[in-house]
Short mmCIF file of all heavy atoms in Angstrom, two decimals:
data_model
loop_
_atom_site.label_atom_id
_atom_site.label_comp_id
_atom_site.label_asym_id
_atom_site.label_seq_id
_atom_site.Cartn_x
_atom_site.Cartn_y
_atom_site.Cartn_z
N ASP A 95 32.66 33.07 22.25
CA ASP A 95 33.98 33.76 22.36
C ASP A 95 34.97 33.10 23.32
O ASP A 95 35.98 33.70 23.62
CB ASP A 95 33.82 35.25 22.73
CG ASP A 95 33.07 36.03 21.70
OD1 ASP A 95 32.38 35.45 20.87
OD2 ASP A 95 33.17 37.29 21.72
N GLY A 96 34.65 31.95 23.85
CA GLY A 96 35.58 31.27 24.75
C GLY A 96 36.48 30.33 23.96
O GLY A 96 36.40 30.32 22.74
N PRO A 97 37.25 29.49 24.62
CA PRO A 97 37.37 29.48 26.04
C PRO A 97 38.21 30.67 26.53
O PRO A 97 39.07 31.16 25.84
CB PRO A 97 38.04 28.18 26.37
CG PRO A 97 38.84 27.88 25.13
CD PRO A 97 38.04 28.44 23.99
N SER A 98 38.00 31.07 27.82
CA SER A 98 38.85 32.12 28.42
C SER A 98 39.31 31.62 29.74
O SER A 98 38.89 30.60 30.24
CB SER A 98 38.04 33.42 28.54
OG SER A 98 37.17 33.35 29.65
N GLU A 99 40.20 32.45 30.35
CA GLU A 99 40.77 32.08 31.62
C GLU A 99 39.70 31.96 32.71
O GLU A 99 39.92 31.30 33.74
CB GLU A 99 41.79 33.16 32.04
CG GLU A 99 43.07 33.19 31.21
CD GLU A 99 42.92 33.78 29.81
OE1 GLU A 99 41.82 34.20 29.41
OE2 GLU A 99 43.96 33.85 29.11
N SER A 100 38.55 32.58 32.53
CA SER A 100 37.48 32.57 33.53
C SER A 100 36.39 31.54 33.19
O SER A 100 35.44 31.39 34.00
CB SER A 100 36.83 33.94 33.64
OG SER A 100 37.75 34.91 33.97
N THR A 101 36.52 30.82 32.11
CA THR A 101 35.52 29.79 31.80
C THR A 101 35.33 28.78 32.93
O THR A 101 34.19 28.41 33.20
CB THR A 101 35.85 29.16 30.43
OG1 THR A 101 35.87 30.16 29.45
CG2 THR A 101 34.80 28.08 30.08
N PRO A 102 36.42 28.27 33.59
CA PRO A 102 36.23 27.31 34.64
C PRO A 102 35.26 27.74 35.77
O PRO A 102 34.53 26.98 36.34
CB PRO A 102 37.66 27.04 35.17
CG PRO A 102 38.50 27.34 33.96
CD PRO A 102 37.84 28.51 33.25
N GLN A 119 33.10 28.16 20.57
CA GLN A 119 34.47 28.53 20.84
C GLN A 119 35.22 28.98 19.59
O GLN A 119 34.95 28.55 18.47
CB GLN A 119 35.22 27.33 21.42
CG GLN A 119 34.65 26.86 22.75
CD GLN A 119 35.46 25.72 23.38
OE1 GLN A 119 36.17 25.00 22.67
NE2 GLN A 119 35.31 25.56 24.67
N ASN A 123 41.30 30.96 20.60
CA ASN A 123 41.20 30.79 22.02
C ASN A 123 41.47 29.40 22.46
O ASN A 123 42.06 29.11 23.53
CB ASN A 123 39.83 31.24 22.47
CG ASN A 123 39.61 32.74 22.32
OD1 ASN A 123 40.58 33.51 22.34
ND2 ASN A 123 38.39 33.17 22.19
N ARG A 126 45.07 28.84 22.55
CA ARG A 126 45.66 29.50 23.72
C ARG A 126 45.45 28.72 25.02
O ARG A 126 46.26 28.63 25.89
CB ARG A 126 45.12 30.94 23.85
CG ARG A 126 45.85 31.75 24.87
CD ARG A 126 45.39 33.24 24.91
NE ARG A 126 44.26 33.44 25.80
CZ ARG A 126 43.06 33.76 25.39
NH1 ARG A 126 42.78 33.90 24.10
NH2 ARG A 126 42.08 33.92 26.27
N LEU A 127 44.19 28.14 25.14
CA LEU A 127 43.79 27.51 26.37
C LEU A 127 43.18 26.10 26.10
O LEU A 127 42.00 25.83 26.40
CB LEU A 127 42.72 28.35 27.08
CG LEU A 127 43.19 29.75 27.51
CD1 LEU A 127 42.00 30.62 27.83
CD2 LEU A 127 44.17 29.68 28.72
N VAL A 130 41.39 24.33 29.05
CA VAL A 130 40.06 24.87 29.35
C VAL A 130 38.99 24.36 28.36
O VAL A 130 37.89 23.96 28.77
CB VAL A 130 40.09 26.39 29.43
CG1 VAL A 130 38.71 26.92 29.81
CG2 VAL A 130 41.12 26.90 30.39
N ASP A 238 31.51 33.89 27.29
CA ASP A 238 32.54 33.56 28.28
C ASP A 238 33.90 34.03 27.75
O ASP A 238 34.95 33.57 28.23
CB ASP A 238 32.57 32.03 28.67
CG ASP A 238 32.98 31.15 27.50
OD1 ASP A 238 32.47 31.44 26.36
OD2 ASP A 238 33.67 30.18 27.72
N GLY A 239 33.92 35.02 26.82
CA GLY A 239 35.14 35.64 26.38
C GLY A 239 34.78 36.91 25.64
O GLY A 239 33.61 37.32 25.58
N ARG A 240 35.77 37.60 25.10
CA ARG A 240 35.60 38.79 24.31
C ARG A 240 36.42 38.65 22.99
O ARG A 240 37.63 38.90 23.05
CB ARG A 240 36.10 40.07 24.99
CG ARG A 240 35.29 40.53 26.16
CD ARG A 240 33.96 41.20 25.73
NE ARG A 240 33.17 41.42 26.95
CZ ARG A 240 32.43 40.55 27.54
NH1 ARG A 240 32.27 39.33 27.00
NH2 ARG A 240 31.79 40.82 28.64
N ASP A 243 40.45 38.21 22.78
CA ASP A 243 41.25 38.91 23.77
C ASP A 243 41.68 37.96 24.86
O ASP A 243 40.83 37.24 25.38
CB ASP A 243 40.44 40.06 24.42
CG ASP A 243 40.15 41.21 23.45
OD1 ASP A 243 40.69 41.14 22.31
OD2 ASP A 243 39.34 42.02 23.78
N PRO A 244 42.97 38.00 25.25
CA PRO A 244 43.35 37.17 26.45
C PRO A 244 42.85 37.85 27.73
O PRO A 244 42.71 39.05 27.78
CB PRO A 244 44.91 37.19 26.39
CG PRO A 244 45.29 38.16 25.34
CD PRO A 244 44.10 38.61 24.63
N ARG A 245 42.60 36.99 28.71
CA ARG A 245 42.11 37.46 30.06
C ARG A 245 40.98 38.47 30.02
O ARG A 245 41.02 39.51 30.62
CB ARG A 245 43.28 38.07 30.84
CG ARG A 245 44.50 37.18 30.89
CD ARG A 245 45.47 37.55 32.01
NE ARG A 245 46.46 36.50 32.08
CZ ARG A 245 46.27 35.32 32.67
NH1 ARG A 245 45.15 35.10 33.33
NH2 ARG A 245 47.21 34.38 32.74
N PRO A 246 39.87 38.13 29.30
CA PRO A 246 38.73 39.07 29.28
C PRO A 246 37.98 39.00 30.63
O PRO A 246 38.04 38.01 31.35
CB PRO A 246 37.83 38.46 28.21
CG PRO A 246 38.16 36.98 28.23
CD PRO A 246 39.62 36.89 28.57
N ILE A 248 34.76 38.58 32.37
CA ILE A 248 33.43 38.06 32.12
C ILE A 248 32.63 38.00 33.44
O ILE A 248 31.70 37.20 33.58
CB ILE A 248 33.44 36.70 31.40
CG1 ILE A 248 34.11 35.57 32.24
CG2 ILE A 248 34.06 36.82 30.02
CD1 ILE A 248 33.69 34.20 31.86
#
Side-chain angles (χ1 to χ4, degrees):
D95 296 18
S98 75
E99 289 75 359
S100 302
T101 300
Q119 298 183 338
N123 291 334
R126 189 175 88 249
L127 299 164
V130 181
D238 65 322
R240 288 286 172 277
D243 294 350
R245 307 198 171 280
I248 62 159

